[in-house]
Amino acid sequence: MSDKKFDKLRVSVLALGHMVNDSYSNVVPPLLPLLQAAYGLTYTLSGLIMTVFTFTSSIIQPVFGYFADRYGRRWMVALSVLWIAFFMSMIGIVGYLGLDPTGSYIVILALVGMAGFGSSAYHPQASAMVPRISGDHKGFGVSVFSAGGNLGYAIMPLLVVPVTAIWGLGGVMLLFIPGLLMAFVLQRYAPEAPVAAVQPAIRELWQDIRSVALPLTKVIGVVTMRAWLFFGLITFLPSYLIQYESQEWASMALSLMLVCGAAGTLLGGTMSDRYGRKFTIVSTLMLTGPLLLCALLTHDLLQLGFFALAGLALLASFSPAVLIAQGLIPKNQGMASGIILGFAIGIGGLGVSVTGAIADATSISIGMLSLVLLPIAAFLIALLLPGNVRPEKAGVRIAK
């Protein structure tokens, strides 16, 4: 039974850990122009780097969710941040190994793949902790936690660009420092995860999942489409904008979109507590496609404005989707989080390779424009979610 009190300190610590952990998930995209120049990578090979990371960081998260529900401990979130920080920062040593481009690319794939396990371990454990310490404000608590991750995505390009401008790709090794410091903070202040007195059998868990298979599949569909769009943007938006603008402008546009996405996550959590999960998801996804299209077709300050609004709308649907999934499998919230934050997002992340292939076959512009179809698909699936499309009265929830 969770306490009614909102534990500001521990929610903030987990959100800060989420920010640091997810910041390393966005190390590669701002490096892609440099990696492409150094090792002759195509858009398809560039997308494959993110696909490998997506597999180890997302698709296997339900496995970590299973263990988080049964054996989770505070040290898991601390170690996971240290793990991803170490392997991502080691990308900086590749240029000193004296390998040919093919060998260097294989090492990068291996490092990125190993780093992904740190993300897989952090999300199910931490996201199961947050509702328990958020009292009667679970939507807001999850949104604060989620906003931390989005801020991490936004911050990293602002660090990568000056570090590589001064020290080149070798400077990436310096990025290990924030993860090291955050690991100590998490080990000291993160809440301890209780272990259930009775450990449910895998058969019981499977039965619970099967009993809600249809609504859970719909939630997975929404999150998959949104994740494909999200990863497609952070992977290829810099390369798309560099055609017209500088690398600094591209990084600023991406960071602005992600910062506003973090604000959108907070807005979505507040809306879901007040008006309902489904209304929040449907209404914000309905706006995402048109706003993104306008962002891709405009320039200068107008373009920045549309990217900001698109990020706000896109990520507002994040925490309501997590809460719907956790409500469907209430006895295994770590597993529910692993399915949504891991499997669904991972499947969506695999689409990055498809977007890269489209860009190679046509152009990066066509590849980016194809992403506009994804929020439309997510919106249509969201209409089928359990709950009321219209705003609900505060305190009344059909799909919790």
Side-chain angles (χ1 to χ4, degrees):
M1 182 74 66
S2 63
D3 196 326
K4 296 289 184 181
K5 183 180 178 182
F6 185 88
D7 192 332
K8 296 179 182 178
L9 173 62
R10 287 179 168 81
V11 170
S12 298
V13 166
L14 291 173
L16 186 60
H18 196 194
M19 181 186 76
V20 175
N21 188 285
D22 277 18
S23 71
Y24 291 102
S25 299
N26 202 20
V27 166
V28 173
L31 287 179
L32 282 180
L34 297 177
L35 294 175
Q36 288 169 340
Y39 306 116
L41 305 183
T42 64
Y43 288 119
T44 301
L45 291 177
S46 300
L48 183 59
I49 296 175
M50 293 305 297
T51 297
V52 169
F53 178 75
T54 297
F55 181 81
T56 58
S57 68
S58 300
I59 293 177
I60 63 172
Q61 265 192 47
V63 176
F64 283 96
Y66 174 82
F67 287 103
D69 285 328
R70 287 149 183 80
Y71 314 111
R73 282 292 184 267
R74 177 169 52 201
W75 63 262
M76 182 183 291
V77 294
L79 178 60
S80 62
V81 171
L82 189 66
W83 183 280
I84 191 173
F86 174 76
F87 282 101
M88 274 299 184
S89 65
M90 287 299 99
I91 291 176
I93 72 168
V94 175
Y96 299 102
L97 298 179
L99 302 173
D100 60 18
T102 300
S104 297
Y105 179 70
I106 292 173
V107 171
I108 290 171
L109 287 180
L111 289 172
V112 168
M114 291 297 294
F117 289 109
S119 180
S120 278
Y122 186 85
H123 287 88
Q125 181 67 81
S127 60
M129 290 174 172
V130 171
R132 183 172 57 84
I133 59 177
S134 296
D136 292 327
H137 303 282
K138 290 179 172 56
F140 181 69
V142 173
S143 70
V144 170
F145 173 77
S146 303
N150 297 329
L151 280 175
Y153 274 98
I155 289 171
M156 186 53 74
L158 300 180
L159 297 177
V160 169
V161 171
V163 163
T164 54
I166 298 172
W167 293 289
L169 286 171
V172 176
M173 289 184 286
L174 296 174
L175 299 179
F176 175 64
I177 297 172
L180 176 64
L181 297 176
M182 191 68 236
F184 285 114
V185 173
L186 286 165
Q187 181 59 31
R188 175 66 179 84
Y189 293 106
E192 191 58 87
V195 177
V198 179
Q199 304 293 341
I202 294 180
R203 179 180 300 178
E204 295 177 27
L205 172 60
W206 178 243
Q207 289 174 346
D208 287 343
I209 294 175
R210 286 184 61 186
S211 67
V212 293
L214 183 58
L216 187 60
T217 299
K218 295 172 185 176
V219 180
I220 291 173
V222 170
V223 176
T224 296
M225 293 297 102
R226 191 192 61 211
W228 184 349
L229 172 58
F230 180 77
F231 286 116
L233 287 171
I234 66 172
T235 302
F236 295 118
L237 185 59
S239 297
Y240 170 76
L241 291 177
I242 285 174
Q243 296 179 112
Y244 315 104
E245 308 288 349
S246 65
Q247 184 180 3
E248 289 74 18
W249 175 274
S251 295
M252 180 175 64
L254 179 59
S255 294
L256 176 64
M257 184 183 70
L258 294 173
V259 167
C260 290
T265 304
L266 293 174
L267 175 64
T270 302
M271 287 177 61
S272 70
D273 281 338
R274 182 170 298 182
Y275 302 116
R277 317 297 189 216
K278 182 173 180 177
F279 170 76
T280 301
I281 294 172
V282 169
S283 60
T284 55
L285 286 175
M286 180 176 63
L287 298 173
T288 302
L291 289 171
L292 178 60
L293 180 62
C294 291
L296 293 174
L297 297 180
T298 54
H299 300 282
D300 302 323
L301 293 179
L302 186 61
Q303 182 180 62
L304 290 180
F306 278 122
F307 273 128
L309 292 173
L312 191 79
L314 173 63
L315 293 176
S317 60
F318 187 89
S319 57
V322 173
L323 287 168
I324 288 178
Q326 290 182 337
L328 292 172
I329 320 176
K331 293 187 294 184
N332 295 275
Q333 293 193 350
M335 173 63 78
S337 300
I339 291 173
I340 294 303
L341 298 176
F343 179 75
I345 289 179
I347 294 298
L350 294 178
V352 174
S353 294
V354 177
T355 302
I358 293 173
D360 280 331
T362 55
S363 68
I364 186 63
S365 298
I366 297 298
M368 291 299 295
L369 287 173
S370 70
L371 294 176
V372 176
L373 299 174
L374 300 175
I376 298 173
F379 165 74
L380 295 175
I381 299 172
L383 292 173
L384 304 176
L385 291 173
N388 199 334
V389 175
R390 293 174 296 179
E392 303 171 15
K393 294 182 180 179
V396 179
R397 297 288 175 266
I398 296 175
K400 292 185 178 179

